[in-house]
Amino acid sequence: TSPAALGNTRVSFIDPAVGSDYSSSTSLANIYDTLVFPNAAGEVDPWLAESWEVTEDGLTYTFKLREGVKFHDGSELLASDVVYSFNRLQEVGEGYAYLITGVESISAPDDYTVEFKLEQPSGLFLPSLVRLYVVNEDLVRANTKEEGPYGEEGDYGKDWLLTNDAGSGPYQVVEFPLEEYLLMEKFE
């Protein structure tokens, strides 16, 4: 399901590959975590990434993830989840996909390392990552319909993520009847 399929109804989208309006953005920032987080100075601070390095030519960013971060279902957030989230965002092509461009490749050399290779250096790349919300790959895959517009990825979990979350953020979804309200509870 996409914003267009819902017509003129006013819906918050809690799928990080779809939502981008004010209401959706507020929800996403509370349900999901990102590699970096914006600060008051207009820069970014480490968040899921405890540190990162950039090669001298500005083409490769290597992020070291914090260990022990848990998704709402209790499973551990790993580098493969970051790779899946990026690929899903780009393939779905909605929401904030337009912000994170110029990535030649992304990989997870190990469970706590994510490497982005850029086509060319960009001062906008690091700040754009505040909109790369990391989803639980296993949970989304378990709730993905086989039939859908994304080939082998079926519907990429879009139908399920209309009313459910697969995040690790400070709040988790309790219930979300579309066009009514979003009830969340604090996630310890």
Side-chain angles (χ1 to χ4, degrees), residues 14 16 23-24 26 68 75 79 84 148 150 159 169 179:
I14 58 172
S23 174
S24 300
T26 301
S75 61
Y84 176 80
Y150 305 104
D159 190 52
E179 300 181 56

Side-chain angles (χ1 to χ4, degrees), residues 79-89 106 135-138 140-141 144 153 156-157:
S80 56
D81 296 301
V82 178
V83 172
Y84 176 80
S85 299
F86 173 80
N87 289 333
R88 182 177 182 275
L89 177 66
I106 180 175
V135 301
N136 180 331
E137 175 183 7
D138 292 339
V140 173
R141 285 189 184 282
T144 293
E153 297 294 346
Y156 241 136

Side-chain angles (χ1 to χ4, degrees), residues 1 6 8-9 30 56 62 65-66 74 80 84 92 96 119 136 139 164 172 176:
T1 304
L6 293 172
N8 292 328
T9 59
N30 282 288
E56 195 171 308
T62 305
L65 300 183
R66 288 188 293 132
S80 56
Y84 176 80
V92 170
Y96 289 110
E119 295 167 355
N136 180 331
L139 187 57
N164 297 276
Q172 60 188 9
F176 186 29

Side-chain angles (χ1 to χ4, degrees), residues 33-68:
D33 285 317
T34 55
L35 292 172
V36 295
F37 200 79
N39 61 34
E43 298 173 355
V44 295
D45 289 330
W47 198 252
L48 288 174
E50 62 184 13
S51 65
W52 60 87
E53 294 178 1
V54 184
T55 55
E56 195 171 308
D57 62 7
L59 294 176
T60 304
Y61 285 72
T62 305
F63 295 87
K64 287 294 182 189
L65 300 183
R66 288 188 293 132
E67 294 185 29

Side-chain angles (χ1 to χ4, degrees), residues 18-180:
V18 177
S20 65
D21 66 347
Y22 180 78
S23 174
S24 300
S25 297
T26 301
S27 300
L28 292 170
N30 282 288
I31 298 169
Y32 295 94
D33 285 317
T34 55
L35 292 172
V36 295
F37 200 79
N39 61 34
E43 298 173 355
V44 295
D45 289 330
W47 198 252
L48 288 174
E50 62 184 13
S51 65
W52 60 87
E53 294 178 1
V54 184
T55 55
E56 195 171 308
D57 62 7
L59 294 176
T60 304
Y61 285 72
T62 305
F63 295 87
K64 287 294 182 189
L65 300 183
R66 288 188 293 132
E67 294 185 29
V69 174
K70 300 291 184 188
F71 282 113
H72 297 153
D73 72 351
S75 61
E76 187 174 13
L77 187 151
L78 301 172
S80 56
D81 296 301
V82 178
V83 172
Y84 176 80
S85 299
F86 173 80
N87 289 333
R88 182 177 182 275
L89 177 66
Q90 295 303 306
E91 181 69 22
V92 170
E94 298 176 38
Y96 289 110
Y98 70 94
L99 289 178
I100 309 169
T101 61
V103 176
E104 185 176 290
S105 67
I106 180 175
S107 63
D110 61 53
D111 284 346
Y112 303 103
T113 306
V114 177
E115 185 176 270
F116 289 88
K117 291 191 183 289
L118 305 184
E119 295 167 355
Q120 61 187 24
S122 171
L124 298 176
F125 175 69
L126 191 58
S128 75
L129 294 179
V130 302
R131 295 300 187 181
L132 175 57
Y133 300 102
V134 179
V135 301
N136 180 331
E137 175 183 7
D138 292 339
L139 187 57
V140 173
R141 285 189 184 282
N143 291 284
T144 293
K145 293 179 178 177
E146 285 186 36
E147 295 294 320
Y150 305 104
E152 290 180 13
E153 297 294 346
D155 81 335
Y156 241 136
K158 282 178 67 176
D159 190 52
W160 185 76
L161 283 170
L162 268 175
T163 56
N164 297 276
D165 85 77
S168 62
Y171 289 89
Q172 60 188 9
V173 173
V174 174
E175 60 186 17
F176 186 29
L178 289 175
E179 300 181 56
E180 292 183 38

